[in-house]
Structure formats: C-alpha cells, structure tokens
Amino acid sequence: MRIGLPLLIRLVVFLALAIFLARPEWFASLLTPLTENGAPPVYVQSSLLSLTISHLLMVFAATIASTIVAVGLAILVTRESGREFLPLSRSLVNIGQTFPPVAVLALAVPMLGFGTWPTLIALFLYGLLPIFENTLTGLTTLPGPVMEAARGTGMTGWQRLIKVELPLAFPLILGGIRLSIVISLATATIGSTVAARTLGEVIIAGLQSNNLAFILQGGVVVAALAVLIYDSLLLAERIAARKSGLNRAP
Amino acid sequence: MIEIDAISKAYGDVTVVDNVSMTIEAGSITVIVGTSGSGKTTLLRMINRLVEPTSGSIRIDGEDNGAIAPHELRRRIGYAIQGHGLFPHRTVADNIATVPKLLGWPQDRIDARVEELLNLFQLDPASFGPRFPHELSGGQSQRVGVARALAAEPNLLLMDEPFGALDPVIRAKAQDDLLAIQKHFGTTIILVTHDMEEAFGLADRIAVMDGGRLLQYATPSEMLASPATDFVASLIGTAERPFRLLALNPVERAVEPGAAEGKPISADASQRDALAELLWSGRPALPVTGKDGAVAGRVTVDGLLKQARPA
Amino acid sequence: MRFGLNRIDRVGVVVALIAAYGLVAPFALFRANRIVQGEGRSLLSALPPSLGVILLAFSVIAIVMALLRLPLFVKLLTSLVMLAMLAFAIGSAAGFLTPEGNNYARVSPGSGFWLLGAAFALLATDCLARLRPPPWGRIAILTATVAAITFVLTSGLWDGLSIIKEYFSRADTFWLEAGRHVTLALGSLAVAAVVGIPLGILCHRVEPVRSAILNLLNIVQTIPSIALFGILIGPLSWVATNVPGAADLGIRGVGMAPAFVALFLYSLLPMVANTVGGLAGVPAEANDAARGVGMTDRQRLAQVELPLAFPVILTGIRIVLVQNIGLATIAALIGGGGFGVFVFQGLGQTAMDLVLLGAVPTVTMAFAAAVILDAIVELVAPANAGRKEATA
C-alpha cells in the first residue's frame, strides 16, 4: 500500500509552516475574522517559533532516550541470558500500550511536580513502548536460514548482532521511532497543561479565552509538524527497508 | 580426515543422535541420508558445533573440535544450507566475502577470491558482484551460498540439503557443478539429503541414518549389493536397484569387441544412459567411442543386463 | 554453585529487588488536607503493629518464593495473596492514620505500597504470560479481579483513602462523566464501524480509492488529538450557527460534538485499514473456490470474504476502542466531559487525588477492554490462536 505525500505538497506545507512561524503577524488579517471583541488574532505571549523549538527539543530528547533504552532492552531480552524476561516484557508492553498517554502524563506529575520534567518522563516512558515492540518484532522474526548462516560462517554473538541482526531489524526499529515521535508530539501538546513550554500553550490559551484564532494556529502548527515528521520518517523507513533487502516495508 | 567417535545428542529424554561413529576420508564426498527426524542434520551440525554433543567426540585432521572456540571452528569449515541463507542486506560480493573478512584477510586477497569464485560458478563478477540477494534467481542464490561457504578455502564443506529448494533441472546442474568444484579444490564434503537419487549421484560413501542411529556406512555399490537392513533396502527402492547400479558404472566397463550401427555413445557415459538409449532406439547394440573419439567396441543389451546385478 | 544459581529465577530477582525497596519506602502518605505535600509513613508505622509485622513477614516469604524456580501456579497464587493483603493493608492504614473525627486529613498510598504492588503485579503478569491461559481463562481472571475490586470498594474497606474520599465528594458528577466518557468512546466507535467497514470494502474493491482514502486517514491519525479537537471547533461552530436545526441537535463548537467527531475521525483509519487488510488476507484459493461454485460477488463477500476477514476487522475494533477510551480524556479540554474533567481539574488544583480519580478508571477501562477484545479476537480466530499468542 502506497502511503506518502507528493513531494510538492510536502514542500508547500513546509514553506507555509516556516513562514508562519517566522512572521506570524503577516497572517493576522487572515485570522482576525475568527476572533471576537477585538481579541488578538496572533499569539504573542511567547513567540511561536520558540514554542515550536521547545516542543520539538522535548520530543527529540525524549525519543533519543527512549530509543537507546528500548533498543537496549529489546537486545537484552532476545539474548540467551535474557530470554527469561521475554514473555514478561511482551506482556508489559501490551499492558503499557493500553495506558492512555494523558494518564501517563497525569501520573508523572505527583512524582515530579509541574513543568518540563513530568512531560519529558511521560514522553520517554510512553515512547519506549512502540520502539521496544518493533525492535523485538525485528529481532525475533529474522529469517531462520539467515541466522543459521550467520552462526555457520563463524560470527560471534556480538558480530551477529552488529552485522546481521540490527541491520536487518533497522527498518522496523525506525518504524517504532516514527510511531513514538508522533505519539510524543501529541502528548507534548497536552504537556502544556502541566506547564511544559510547548505549542499546546497556544491551544489551551485559545480554549481558555474562547479565541478560535489561537486554537486554530496552535492546532494547525502542531498538525503540520506531525504530518511532516511522520511523512519524512516514513520515507526514511522505506529506503532503509529496501536497503535491508527484506520485504517488510511499511 | 574426520573421525566421529561415539557421538550422541539428547534433548531431555529424546535421543536424536545415538552413538554414531564413522570416519570420513579427506577429499571425499560423504552423503548422509535419512528421513526427516533421523538425526542426519543434527549429526552434521555437531561437526561445526552448531549443536553441542551430549557425549562423544569429533576430530578433524586429528584435532578435537571441542577444543576450538566454536566461532573459530566455523570459520575454518564451509557451511551451505537449504534456502541458501544469504544476508539480504549485503551484496553478492559482500556475502561471499563474509568469512574472509571475519578472518581479517587483506582486501585485495578478498577481492581476488570473490572474483575467482564468481567465475567458477559462472556468475559474471562485474554484473553479479554488486547485486543484492533479492535480485537473484533460486539457482543463482544457491550458487552464491556455496561460493560463500567455500570463500575462505576450507578443507571441509558441510552442506545441509543444499539443493532442496531447486527445481529438478537446476538441481541436476548444481550437482554437476558441485562435483566439478570438489575435483577442482579437493575439498572434503559432507552433505545431508533425503533424496536417495542425489546420494547415489554424488557420494563416494553413503551413511544411512534412522531414528538417530547409523544403519549403514558404505560405498554406493556395497550398499546396493548388501543393504544392512530392510530399511536401507526400502530407502534404495527394490525396483530401482539395477538402475542405480548401472548408473554408478561407466560404459567403459561393459565394452565388448565388435561393431554396431548408429550413433555412438561415449565410454565415460553411465551404463544406465547406454541401456536407456538401447531400449528407446530398439537397437541390440551401440558403438562406443573412447576419449580419442575412435570407436573402442560396442555395448549390448545382454552385456548391460549382466552388469545390472551385483557381482 | 552452578546448581544453586540455576535454582534462581531471573525475573524473580527483579521482583525481589523492587519489593525489597518497597518494604523500606514509605507505605502510606499522610496529609493534613487534600492539597498539601504528604509526609511518608513506613510500613510498620502506617499499620497497626500486629498487621504491620504480619505483612512484613508475608512479604519476605513471598520475595523468597519469587526468587526460587517454583511451579508457576504456586507463584501466581503467592502474588495474588500478596496483592489481596496489600489491598487490605492500605485500607487499614487509612483508618489507623486518620485521627478520629478529622475530615480534612488525607491518607493515600505511598511509594512503598506502589512498589510492593508493582512487584507482585509483575510476578503475577510473568506467571500469566508464561502460563498462557486460554481466552475464556483470561476473561474469567479479569471478571474475578473486577469482582474483587468491586467487593473491596463496596465493603467500605478503602473508605478512609483519599481517592475514595474524593469520589464521595463528587459521586454524582463521577457517574455523569463516566457516562459521557463511555458514550464518547463507544459511540464514536459504533459510527466508525458503520462507516469504516463499508468504506474498507470499497477500498478493497477499488484500487485508486484505496491509496487516496488510506493516505488521508493516515494524515488525520497523525494530527495530535488536542490539535484536531481544536481545529474542529471552527467548522462545527459554523455549522451550529448557519445550518438550521443543527444547534438543536446538540451540535456546537465546543462540548461533546467536536470531541465525538474527532474520535470518529481517529477511529476510521484502524477500521478501514483493518477491513482492507482482512479482505486482502483472504486466501486466493478460498476466493477461487467461491467463484468456482458459482457465487455472485455479493454472496462471495457475505459468505466467504467477510467471515474470513472478521478476526482482523475485530482487531481493528480492539485498537479503536482502547485508543478511544484514552483519547476521550482530552475531550474535557474542550468541554466535552468524560474522566478527563477530573484529570485536568486535578492538575489545575494540584489535587493529585482528583487526577487519580480520573486517570485510574480510564486506565482500568482501557485495560479491561483490551483483555476482553483480545480474548474475543482469539476465540473467533481459533486457527490463528497460536500465532497471535506468539506475536502478542
């Protein structure tokens, strides 16, 4: 199934987003009809660009941490010495994914207080799940003859992992990272309800002051970011899948 | 020389290889035959320690294989399997170079070796070297799989149903190639199959396994003449015996003096082919040509029938 | 030595470490009122002395049992007994720590309680994961657990706990919001199924439509929930003011309408994609045979394709339901109600008991929905049962 945006649309969306973030006031006249009683059409309490950067930094930091930990754990439970943890870790991921991201965020607050940290921790914890699950799938569904050949050619356990298992599982790992980032982008938006500096701030401000212009600009910026990132990661994943030579492209 | 000494493998209460001993001559082709679950693959995999034996030992050229670290042992032994197991993310050239790279060969030696092997397997290095496995046909993948197994110039090559996934025409070609390559390198080959035809076609000696035990270990003609058990006899197939025996020997040994009409047959063709030609063309005798192309005599139906029974 | 090490269960080591730390961490938190910081009370000081000693002793025994390689059902039983004891103990702690007649003081479970609970829940999960109970067994276990929790809640054992006090002070709104939450989650699922399955069949039959629709739905799915909820406010307010009668139907810019529509849109992708996937996975031989015996396209769809695709479609429903139960929480931000009301009010007032009052039922519902639907999926697809289990 062929999913992805045409290149032209990608470029247009990206340019529109970049211009809006850099010069939101140019769009003021466009947004004014959405406001009532002379409310400001463009969010000015904080620059949209800096909110976007803070939002993205938070998501990327959490995702990098999730990736390192999740891939590491998936490697551990698929080694001979960690096999005992495999059924448990599968169940935990299944259970974990039934937890709504909002609940994870809300439950992080009592432990960490308000601000960036509970959001980061929630993003990190929730981000582990798809990456772990996909890495596990990647490492446990490698073709039998290939693994047999890797052993048969005299690769050590470490060489098999680095030269065969991880490269072949890479497209699936990338898929996990993509899912994780998309979820994190959304969860970070809600993070502004616990005082994290993210684009959710604009939406929440709009909801509180009944300003449709704020809600829309926050919503559209987050949506455009999510779609652009999702789309480019999907592209990267397809290229990786083609390179790995295994036919399990998304 | 491979000396397998009272080797056994048990998983819990189930014994899959039961006290097998055999000695394999250097430079020979040994084929291990058996039904699925006979323990033949386990026996093979204990030689390069993909399976660790429960008891017994295996010596390769006098050296106990248990004394060598498994991965180092495997780098010295070629290993080719059914479905080839090529690494899908590496090119054909990189696949073949796997073991030489692990052994730390210099790059120019690796390149030369890869090119030599590709040529040997009739794959153009310039065209096939940079391809990925999914761009190959079944027969080509299989050849690359064997080339990879031979890359580090091993003295011993283990093959686990290497031709199992090929269609009959390509399979016959692959078998001929293997014989040619074995002659070229003088490699000792141990091959596992469930196909008796393949065993008789390739083997210097055949080992028949059933229920984990070695029933018979003999040359093909010995096995035809005196199968050790009823199971071995049934595996050979009673109706097939005379034809298998004829297939083992060249026309050369059945040549009689005299002349015959029609298209001649070469002295190194198999007696089975000669009989088939006689029956199909309805002639009583065929002229036989020697290596020099001159007629060396003739072969007759009656003469071949005498050859179709063990002496 | 080697023999000794082999007797140790590695998962048990993790369980034991968490539980051991749980024993020394504060078992309960005491707060003078609902929004101040809590002070921790250790296991022995939070419970009546005899009970504290008994719990401590049982915990130590359970930790040792977790470490050994014992039969799985023995370990499962151990973990369940421990969880029941913890449930009883935390209720007693509330009664023991709250001064007589004090209505402001709050007692809530401390990190020690959570760690002990997590440790033995982990042990139980590990046992269940290795035992692989059949679908009916899993539903039975879930039912028994729900019954046990209902019993504890109605018995008044936990009445002294802060989250229950929070519930009592807003019991009416709790059930109202629960109703809204369920309406949002199930209602949008129902509409998505009615629209999504036919759409999936269409996509399966008409190639060009497939990629267009799936592309579009994929993009919708990617949009963060709060953004989509917000974006929908605009069009819906326009509909409410410009379409006669729409406002009377309850369609408004804020409230349940945009939440419902957003959840519906999110639900469409899994519904359509799984219908397409299910139909595409129907073996070609089955379709050939159906054509061969002279079925019309319609008969083939109803008698062969849909029944064979049903387990996959059901998996789509499972994904949607679990996802919707979680996402419905966000509805509270745009006035749509649901358990999110308590979560966000709680966050606003820094009243964590209130946050929990919203979060715990949401998580429980999502979890129960996942268990039940997973079991049903497995029951309707007996042939795939083994494979499903292996990849789950």
Side-chain angles (χ1 to χ4, degrees), chain C residues 207-283:
Chain C
E207 176 88 34
V209 177
R210 186 187 316 162
S211 48
I213 289 186
L214 287 177
N215 251 325
L216 185 70
L217 293 178
N218 232 321
I219 292 171
V220 170
Q221 187 84 10
T222 313
I223 300 173
S225 49
I226 186 173
L228 184 60
F229 283 50
I231 292 170
L232 283 171
I233 292 178
L236 283 169
S237 343
W238 186 86
V239 169
T241 45
N242 293 292
V243 178
D248 299 333
L249 285 172
I251 296 177
R252 288 187 304 128
V254 290
M256 263 176 97
F260 196 93
V261 175
L263 289 181
F264 162 74
L265 290 176
Y266 280 129
S267 310
L268 269 183
L269 177 72
M271 284 312 315
V272 176
N274 276 48
T275 307
V276 172
L279 290 174
V282 171

XYZ file of all heavy atoms in Angstrom, chain C residues 207-283:
550
model
N -9.065 -0.077 -6.387
C -7.662 0.254 -6.108
C -7.362 1.752 -5.957
O -6.735 2.155 -4.977
C -6.787 -0.364 -7.211
C -5.327 -0.052 -7.126
C -4.597 -1.062 -6.255
O -4.987 -2.246 -6.259
O -3.663 -0.663 -5.577
N -7.771 2.623 -6.901
C -7.385 4.043 -6.798
C -7.951 4.709 -5.542
O -7.311 5.573 -4.940
C -7.978 4.690 -8.049
C -8.505 3.611 -8.897
C -8.579 2.364 -8.113
N -9.159 4.309 -5.146
C -9.778 4.895 -3.950
C -8.953 4.532 -2.716
O -8.797 5.333 -1.798
C -11.216 4.353 -3.794
C -11.849 4.873 -2.525
C -12.057 4.725 -5.004
N -8.383 3.309 -2.751
C -7.708 2.787 -1.563
C -6.588 3.706 -1.090
O -6.601 4.179 0.045
C -7.156 1.398 -1.856
C -6.568 0.722 -0.630
C -5.887 -0.579 -0.979
N -6.721 -1.346 -1.911
C -6.264 -2.350 -2.652
N -5.010 -2.720 -2.553
N -7.062 -2.985 -3.484
N -5.634 3.991 -1.998
C -4.484 4.758 -1.518
C -4.904 6.169 -1.129
O -4.392 6.726 -0.164
C -3.370 4.767 -2.566
O -3.898 5.093 -3.815
N -5.868 6.750 -1.871
C -6.310 8.109 -1.539
C -6.907 8.157 -0.139
O -6.507 8.969 0.702
C -7.329 8.584 -2.571
N -7.830 7.245 0.139
C -8.511 7.266 1.439
C -7.538 6.920 2.566
O -7.495 7.593 3.601
C -9.711 6.293 1.433
C -10.810 6.865 0.542
C -10.221 6.038 2.836
C -12.094 6.085 0.555
N -6.733 5.891 2.352
C -5.810 5.492 3.418
C -4.782 6.595 3.693
O -4.428 6.857 4.849
C -5.112 4.181 3.068
C -6.018 2.951 3.172
C -5.282 1.697 2.743
C -6.556 2.779 4.586
N -4.332 7.257 2.629
C -3.424 8.394 2.795
C -4.026 9.476 3.662
O -3.416 9.973 4.608
C -3.148 9.021 1.429
C -1.740 8.757 0.980
O -0.846 8.726 1.805
N -1.551 8.562 -0.298
N -5.262 9.824 3.311
C -5.954 10.897 4.021
C -6.150 10.529 5.493
O -5.852 11.311 6.401
C -7.310 11.131 3.341
C -8.108 12.303 3.876
C -7.411 13.595 3.470
C -9.531 12.293 3.332
N -6.620 9.292 5.729
C -6.876 8.863 7.104
C -5.580 8.786 7.899
O -5.559 9.074 9.101
C -7.583 7.511 7.103
C -9.002 7.531 6.544
C -9.600 6.131 6.553
C -9.882 8.465 7.376
N -4.501 8.399 7.219
C -3.208 8.339 7.881
C -2.792 9.715 8.375
O -2.252 9.860 9.478
C -2.169 7.849 6.881
C -1.391 6.698 7.439
O -1.063 6.692 8.622
N -1.110 5.731 6.608
N -3.037 10.725 7.539
C -2.687 12.089 7.934
C -3.533 12.517 9.133
O -3.025 13.068 10.112
C -2.887 13.044 6.744
C -1.850 12.729 5.666
C -2.781 14.492 7.184
C -2.081 13.445 4.367
N -4.843 12.201 9.069
C -5.728 12.554 10.184
C -5.217 11.916 11.472
O -5.112 12.552 12.521
C -7.178 12.083 9.897
C -8.036 12.220 11.133
C -7.766 12.867 8.738
N -4.852 10.629 11.363
C -4.379 9.886 12.535
C -3.132 10.522 13.130
O -2.879 10.430 14.328
C -4.068 8.449 12.088
C -3.733 7.506 13.205
C -4.990 6.934 13.829
O -6.063 7.113 13.298
N -4.860 6.286 14.954
N -2.336 11.162 12.269
C -1.075 11.746 12.711
C -1.278 13.041 13.495
O -0.453 13.416 14.316
C -0.188 12.037 11.483
O -0.196 10.886 10.664
C 1.208 12.377 11.880
N -2.383 13.723 13.229
C -2.610 15.020 13.882
C -2.834 14.804 15.379
O -3.689 14.010 15.763
C -3.834 15.724 13.267
C -3.596 15.942 11.766
C -4.127 17.040 13.974
C -4.808 16.471 11.036
N -2.068 15.482 16.228
C -2.257 15.315 17.670
C -3.691 15.620 18.088
O -4.328 16.514 17.524
C -1.282 16.322 18.265
C -0.249 16.499 17.232
C -0.949 16.357 15.921
N -4.179 14.855 19.070
C -5.592 14.922 19.417
C -6.051 16.330 19.762
O -7.038 16.827 19.219
C -5.869 13.976 20.573
O -4.923 14.193 21.595
N -5.300 16.999 20.633
C -5.778 18.305 21.100
C -5.845 19.274 19.926
O -6.756 20.120 19.840
C -4.888 18.827 22.248
C -5.478 20.107 22.820
C -3.474 19.002 21.843
C -4.747 20.567 24.060
N -4.932 19.117 18.959
C -4.954 19.978 17.782
C -6.196 19.705 16.942
O -6.890 20.635 16.519
C -3.697 19.754 16.946
N -6.492 18.431 16.742
C -7.659 18.084 15.924
C -8.948 18.549 16.603
O -9.839 19.106 15.959
C -7.701 16.585 15.688
C -8.811 16.074 14.768
C -8.683 16.686 13.381
C -8.803 14.561 14.647
N -9.023 18.311 17.925
C -10.193 18.778 18.674
C -10.367 20.269 18.439
O -11.463 20.756 18.184
C -10.012 18.523 20.171
C -10.230 17.106 20.610
C -9.612 16.055 19.975
C -11.043 16.816 21.698
C -9.799 14.750 20.372
C -11.241 15.508 22.112
C -10.618 14.464 21.451
N -9.257 20.993 18.536
C -9.304 22.445 18.383
C -9.706 22.862 16.986
O -10.581 23.719 16.801
N -9.081 22.204 15.981
C -9.367 22.575 14.601
C -10.839 22.360 14.278
O -11.440 23.121 13.527
C -8.472 21.745 13.642
C -7.010 22.174 13.796
C -8.908 21.919 12.192
C -6.020 21.275 13.102
N -11.432 21.319 14.896
C -12.833 21.009 14.595
C -13.805 22.011 15.204
O -14.958 22.097 14.790
C -13.172 19.605 15.086
C -12.653 18.475 14.196
C -12.850 17.143 14.878
C -13.367 18.496 12.854
N -13.337 22.748 16.229
C -14.243 23.710 16.865
C -14.760 24.701 15.825
O -15.945 25.020 15.785
C -13.525 24.468 18.020
C -13.241 23.477 19.146
C -14.375 25.619 18.524
C -12.500 24.090 20.310
N -13.849 25.179 14.950
C -14.209 26.168 13.939
C -15.362 25.713 13.053
O -16.450 26.289 13.099
N -15.155 24.634 12.268
C -16.224 24.203 11.366
C -17.530 23.912 12.098
O -18.602 24.241 11.594
C -15.671 22.918 10.752
C -14.236 22.865 11.070
C -13.933 23.869 12.107
N -17.421 23.319 13.298
C -18.657 22.948 13.978
C -19.419 24.171 14.484
O -20.657 24.178 14.468
C -18.376 21.958 15.112
C -18.128 20.528 14.594
C -17.603 19.640 15.694
C -19.395 19.934 13.986
N -18.700 25.219 14.904
C -19.431 26.422 15.320
C -20.134 27.026 14.105
O -21.248 27.529 14.194
C -18.532 27.508 15.917
O -17.316 27.021 16.274
N -19.432 26.946 12.950
C -20.038 27.471 11.733
C -21.316 26.699 11.407
O -22.353 27.283 11.129
C -19.040 27.359 10.576
C -19.518 28.013 9.323
C -19.380 29.325 8.969
C -20.257 27.395 8.265
N -19.971 29.561 7.769
C -20.526 28.391 7.303
C -20.723 26.093 8.038
C -21.232 28.140 6.119
C -21.429 25.829 6.867
C -21.674 26.842 5.918
N -21.257 25.364 11.513
C -22.441 24.533 11.248
C -23.552 24.904 12.215
O -24.709 25.079 11.829
C -22.097 23.029 11.385
C -23.363 22.173 11.385
C -21.184 22.604 10.246
N -23.191 25.068 13.498
C -24.204 25.345 14.519
C -24.929 26.657 14.228
O -26.146 26.764 14.410
C -23.556 25.395 15.897
N -24.191 27.675 13.763
C -24.847 28.969 13.562
C -25.495 29.073 12.186
O -26.431 29.843 12.009
C -23.827 30.120 13.714
O -22.650 29.773 13.006
C -23.498 30.386 15.164
N -25.017 28.326 11.208
C -25.505 28.508 9.845
C -26.452 27.428 9.338
O -27.195 27.664 8.404
C -24.335 28.650 8.870
C -23.579 29.937 9.113
O -24.089 31.019 8.883
N -22.365 29.799 9.639
N -26.406 26.228 9.921
C -27.328 25.174 9.465
C -28.529 25.161 10.396
O -28.374 24.966 11.598
C -26.632 23.795 9.468
C -27.618 22.707 9.050
C -25.430 23.818 8.549
N -29.700 25.395 9.842
C -30.888 25.442 10.721
C -31.104 24.084 11.396
O -30.994 23.054 10.752
C -32.033 25.759 9.758
C -31.428 26.075 8.438
C -30.036 25.607 8.425
N -31.385 24.111 12.657
C -31.703 22.872 13.365
C -30.496 22.149 13.926
O -30.630 21.286 14.789
N -29.294 22.494 13.433
C -28.108 21.796 13.900
C -27.881 22.024 15.394
O -27.562 21.102 16.145
C -26.878 22.248 13.113
N -28.078 23.274 15.806
C -27.847 23.598 17.214
C -28.801 22.816 18.115
O -28.425 22.356 19.195
C -27.999 25.095 17.445
N -30.030 22.632 17.632
C -30.990 21.881 18.441
C -30.553 20.427 18.605
O -30.885 19.774 19.596
C -32.378 21.906 17.768
C -32.892 23.330 17.641
O -32.470 24.163 18.480
O -33.665 23.604 16.701
N -29.816 19.897 17.642
C -29.347 18.513 17.732
C -28.163 18.384 18.683
O -27.620 17.306 18.868
C -28.933 18.008 16.345
C -30.076 17.676 15.393
C -29.538 17.377 14.004
C -30.869 16.482 15.914
N -27.723 19.505 19.243
C -26.606 19.436 20.187
C -25.273 19.705 19.512
O -24.216 19.526 20.103
N -25.309 20.101 18.238
C -24.048 20.390 17.556
C -23.609 21.799 17.918
O -24.312 22.778 17.635
C -24.203 20.240 16.032
C -24.527 18.778 15.706
C -22.949 20.704 15.316
C -24.777 18.507 14.256
N -22.476 21.891 18.576
C -21.946 23.197 18.953
C -20.441 23.184 18.763
O -19.842 22.135 18.598
C -22.291 23.506 20.418
C -23.773 23.810 20.631
C -24.019 24.263 22.054
N -23.540 23.275 23.007
C -22.734 23.547 24.014
N -22.302 24.770 24.216
N -22.369 22.612 24.853
N -19.859 24.347 18.770
C -18.416 24.440 18.543
C -17.632 23.766 19.638
O -16.653 23.064 19.377
N -18.036 23.965 20.863
C -17.339 23.275 21.950
C -18.271 22.219 22.520
O -19.449 22.149 22.159
C -16.909 24.255 23.072
C -15.791 25.158 22.582
C -18.090 25.044 23.574
N -17.731 21.396 23.415
C -18.550 20.372 24.043
C -18.313 19.015 23.414
O -17.245 18.735 22.861
N -19.354 18.178 23.491
C -19.181 16.797 23.048
C -19.059 16.658 21.538
O -18.403 15.726 21.052
C -20.339 15.943 23.554
C -19.979 15.198 24.826
S -21.348 14.275 25.490
C -21.045 12.657 24.844
N -19.690 17.572 20.769
C -19.729 17.388 19.316
C -18.330 17.320 18.684
O -18.017 16.343 18.002
C -20.570 18.471 18.665
N -17.465 18.338 18.883
C -16.141 18.219 18.254
C -15.370 17.016 18.780
O -14.628 16.371 18.021
C -15.438 19.525 18.623
C -16.217 20.118 19.717
C -17.624 19.616 19.596
N -15.538 16.686 20.047
C -14.842 15.532 20.610
C -15.292 14.256 19.909
O -14.484 13.409 19.528
C -15.096 15.437 22.106
N -16.612 14.150 19.746
C -17.184 12.969 19.107
C -16.665 12.838 17.680
O -16.232 11.769 17.244
C -18.714 13.083 19.114
C -19.415 11.792 18.831
C -19.816 10.972 19.875
C -19.683 11.405 17.531
C -20.471 9.784 19.623
C -20.321 10.209 17.271
C -20.724 9.395 18.311
N -16.701 13.973 16.960
C -16.247 13.935 15.561
C -14.763 13.587 15.487
O -14.337 12.772 14.652
C -16.526 15.289 14.869
C -15.952 15.278 13.456
C -18.015 15.552 14.839
N -13.967 14.168 16.381
C -12.527 13.892 16.364
C -12.265 12.409 16.639
O -11.490 11.762 15.927
C -11.812 14.751 17.397
N -12.935 11.871 17.657
C -12.734 10.453 17.958
C -13.163 9.582 16.788
O -12.533 8.582 16.462
C -13.518 10.059 19.221
C -12.977 10.623 20.532
C -13.824 10.138 21.704
C -11.534 10.201 20.729
N -14.260 9.978 16.154
C -14.730 9.238 14.978
C -13.664 9.242 13.885
O -13.344 8.216 13.294
C -16.036 9.866 14.482
C -16.397 9.501 13.079
C -16.886 8.238 12.784
C -16.247 10.418 12.049
C -17.205 7.890 11.477
C -16.567 10.075 10.746
C -17.047 8.803 10.459
N -13.073 10.418 13.640
C -12.060 10.515 12.583
C -10.834 9.661 12.906
O -10.280 8.987 12.044
C -11.644 11.976 12.371
C -12.714 12.859 11.724
C -12.233 14.306 11.646
C -13.065 12.343 10.330
N -10.426 9.698 14.195
C -9.288 8.866 14.599
C -9.601 7.384 14.427
O -8.726 6.582 14.163
C -8.932 9.109 16.064
C -8.120 10.351 16.291
C -8.505 11.273 17.240
C -6.966 10.585 15.574
C -7.764 12.416 17.461
C -6.217 11.722 15.783
C -6.627 12.629 16.734
O -5.885 13.742 16.939
N -10.884 7.018 14.640
C -11.251 5.600 14.606
C -11.290 5.054 13.190
O -11.188 3.850 12.983
C -12.636 5.397 15.228
O -12.701 6.027 16.469
N -11.477 5.958 12.216
C -11.677 5.488 10.850
C -10.466 4.733 10.309
O -10.620 3.692 9.686
C -12.007 6.663 9.931
C -13.491 6.980 9.787
C -13.665 8.120 8.795
C -14.280 5.763 9.310
N -9.250 5.263 10.546
C -8.079 4.614 9.945
C -7.961 3.140 10.350
O -7.894 2.273 9.490
C -6.789 5.364 10.235
C -5.569 4.637 9.678
C -5.516 4.723 8.165
C -4.271 5.119 10.257
N -7.951 2.842 11.686
C -7.841 1.418 12.035
C -8.988 0.588 11.467
O -8.767 -0.540 11.020
C -7.881 1.416 13.574
C -7.496 2.790 13.974
C -7.939 3.702 12.871
N -10.197 1.148 11.451
C -11.328 0.381 10.930
C -11.137 0.072 9.444
O -11.227 -1.072 9.019
C -12.652 1.162 11.090
C -13.250 1.201 12.477
S -13.357 -0.369 13.342
C -13.977 -1.453 12.105
N -10.868 1.118 8.667
C -10.729 0.925 7.220
C -9.506 0.068 6.910
O -9.584 -0.904 6.146
C -10.634 2.289 6.497
C -10.387 2.083 5.008
C -11.907 3.084 6.716
N -8.373 0.411 7.536
C -7.129 -0.311 7.227
C -7.270 -1.786 7.586
O -6.819 -2.653 6.838
C -5.954 0.311 7.966
N -7.902 -2.086 8.719
C -8.031 -3.497 9.094
C -9.030 -4.228 8.220
O -8.857 -5.412 7.947
C -8.399 -3.633 10.572
C -7.177 -3.578 11.447
O -6.340 -2.694 11.277
N -7.032 -4.535 12.342
N -10.095 -3.530 7.782
C -11.024 -4.180 6.857
C -10.297 -4.508 5.556
O -10.384 -5.638 5.047
C -12.232 -3.264 6.579
O -12.802 -2.871 7.827
C -13.279 -3.984 5.761
N -9.547 -3.530 5.050
C -8.789 -3.770 3.814
C -7.789 -4.905 4.025
O -7.706 -5.838 3.220
C -8.050 -2.487 3.369
C -7.121 -2.786 2.202
C -9.048 -1.419 2.965
N -7.070 -4.852 5.143
C -6.065 -5.881 5.430
C -6.707 -7.253 5.570
O -6.181 -8.246 5.061
N -7.845 -7.307 6.247
C -8.534 -8.580 6.432
C -8.982 -9.163 5.107
O -8.787 -10.344 4.829
N -9.560 -8.299 4.259
C -10.047 -8.781 2.962
C -8.884 -9.184 2.065
O -8.959 -10.170 1.340
C -10.893 -7.697 2.284
C -12.248 -7.411 2.944
C -12.929 -6.224 2.281
C -13.146 -8.632 2.887
N -7.788 -8.421 2.147
C -6.625 -8.753 1.313
C -6.001 -10.064 1.765
O -5.366 -10.757 0.976
C -5.591 -7.632 1.378
N -6.185 -10.391 3.056
C -5.577 -11.611 3.590
C -6.399 -12.856 3.327
O -5.978 -13.954 3.674
N -7.580 -12.699 2.716
C -8.384 -13.886 2.405
C -7.628 -14.715 1.374
O -7.219 -14.182 0.343
C -9.764 -13.467 1.844
C -10.507 -14.687 1.317
C -10.585 -12.770 2.915
N -7.403 -16.018 1.653
C -6.597 -16.830 0.740
C -7.198 -16.835 -0.665
O -8.415 -16.943 -0.816
C -6.658 -18.233 1.353
C -7.149 -18.061 2.739
C -7.888 -16.778 2.806
